[in-house]
Amino acid sequence: MSDVVTPADAAHAVLAVAAGGPAIAVAAAVDPAGTVERIIVGADGIVRGRIRNASLHEAAVRRARQALASGDDPGVETIHVGDTAWLLYVESHHPPEQLIIVGAGHIAVPLAHLGVLLDFQVTVLDDREEFATADRFDAAVTVRRADFAADPFAGVEITDRSYIALVTRGHRWDFDCLRRLVSGGPASGADGSATGASGPASGGAQPRYIGMVGSRRRVRAAFHALLEAGVPRSVLAGIHAPIGVEIGAETPAEIAVSISAELVAVRRGRDSDSISVREQVLDRFLKEPT
């Protein structure tokens, strides 16, 4: 492989990330004469290209890996190598955040629209042919026909940049999807009976967000069944249920707004600023044994 990374090479690598590929960081070192040398560092740690000065190369790799880990905005700094001052520019690129909406009913339509506006890569899953149709959603939304009884997430890659909203038509499907997401094992109904599905939905990756629609009674029943199935309380405490920020929402559009507000709060690290309903459910109705 060539030690030279051209502008076209860097552009192709960035486009691959935008299409859903693994994260990368591009570091460009510029000498006083304006000569540019680049490297590309992948999320897997592999470095493509080389900067001729060894110490500058090591600094560029280090800064690129820091940018990948932190997700910081692009930055430039001056690095002195002997009597020469180099400019080092580093930018990281991550694949789009993914909003997976399970259930294509009345809430899903405005929620998918808002998800697109919020720059999510939106996928809608449903097992009903009349609901899982692309003409009900924005052109940017991917609509997939799923088999809720087997594996609703078949063919859908779930990563730590995935946000999942469970808004299906019934408690059974919400619970089955939730069980698959948090346990990584066979899905089962709320009565504990197996549905025949097996294997983790996400291949081991933990979604950034899981939210489930429903009343407190419905959430309490689901949480109780999951506790009985051995899911740790700490995992349940991370599930947003009932889904959405409490704004008194009633219509599908209003509920979609409340869910979208919660997605933004999680994205911006503000979700912990208030006491969540999910914690109230665990503390009030499902106390830990003493």
Side-chain angles (χ1 to χ4, degrees):
M1 180 180 293
S2 172
D3 285 342
V4 177
V5 173
T6 67
D9 293 333
H12 283 304
V14 171
L15 289 174
V17 175
I24 64 166
V26 179
V30 186
D31 70 12
T35 303
V36 182
E37 300 178 31
R38 300 172 190 82
I39 61 169
I40 299 173
V41 179
D44 56 5
I46 294 177
V47 179
R48 179 181 176 188
R50 174 162 291 279
I51 296 172
R52 284 171 295 174
N53 183 281
S55 62
L56 185 59
H57 176 84
E58 292 175 4
V61 171
R62 184 169 61 254
R63 299 292 194 278
R65 287 175 174 162
Q66 290 172 352
L68 275 174
S70 66
D72 288 343
D73 293 334
V76 62
E77 63 181 297
T78 301
I79 295 181
H80 292 274
V81 179
D83 296 330
T84 304
W86 292 71
L87 291 179
L88 180 62
Y89 176 80
V90 179
E91 61 182 20
S92 62
H93 298 269
H94 297 265
E97 293 172 309
Q98 181 185 32
L99 173 59
I100 302 170
I101 304 171
V102 186
H106 300 305
I107 296 173
V109 174
L111 178 58
H113 175 68
L114 291 172
V116 172
L117 293 179
L118 294 171
D119 293 325
F120 285 101
Q121 189 178 72
V122 182
T123 300
V124 177
L125 309 174
D126 204 293
D127 62 342
R128 297 166 293 177
E129 184 176 357
E130 66 274 23
F131 283 82
T133 58
D135 58 3
R136 297 180 62 240
F137 296 89
D138 292 7
V141 175
T142 299
V143 182
R144 299 173 62 102
R145 181 88 178 273
D147 187 347
F148 285 177
D151 183 357
F153 301 103
V156 178
E157 183 180 5
I158 297 175
T159 73
D160 58 3
R161 294 175 66 80
S162 298
Y163 294 64
I164 302 175
L166 303 175
V167 292
T168 74
R169 65 187 181 278
H171 171 58
R172 174 191 174 189
W173 304 124
D174 287 338
F175 179 84
D176 283 352
C177 293
L178 186 59
R179 169 74 184 270
R180 177 174 288 276
L181 288 168
V182 300
S183 69
S188 64
D191 60 357
S193 59
T195 64
S198 61
S202 57
Q206 293 298 316
R208 176 76 183 276
Y209 170 96
I210 302 173
M212 184 180 73
V213 74
S215 65
R216 292 193 187 192
R217 179 188 58 81
R218 185 163 155 180
V219 171
R220 184 172 70 227
F223 279 13
H224 177 74
L226 289 168
L227 285 171
E228 290 291 314
V231 176
R233 289 175 64 89
S234 59
V235 172
L236 296 183
I239 298 169
H240 295 71
I243 196 172
V245 174
E246 180 52 62
I247 58 173
E250 294 183 0
T251 69
E254 291 172 346
I255 295 170
V257 168
S258 75
I259 296 171
S260 298
E262 191 165 69
L263 297 178
V264 172
V266 172
R267 172 189 273 176
R268 301 304 180 194
R270 301 295 296 274
D271 182 53
S272 61
D273 287 356
S274 61
I275 298 175
S276 66
V277 173
R278 63 188 180 274
E279 290 169 336
Q280 295 174 29
V281 169
L282 284 170
D283 293 340
R284 290 182 58 191
F285 303 112
L286 300 170
K287 293 184 178 296
E288 288 185 274
T290 57

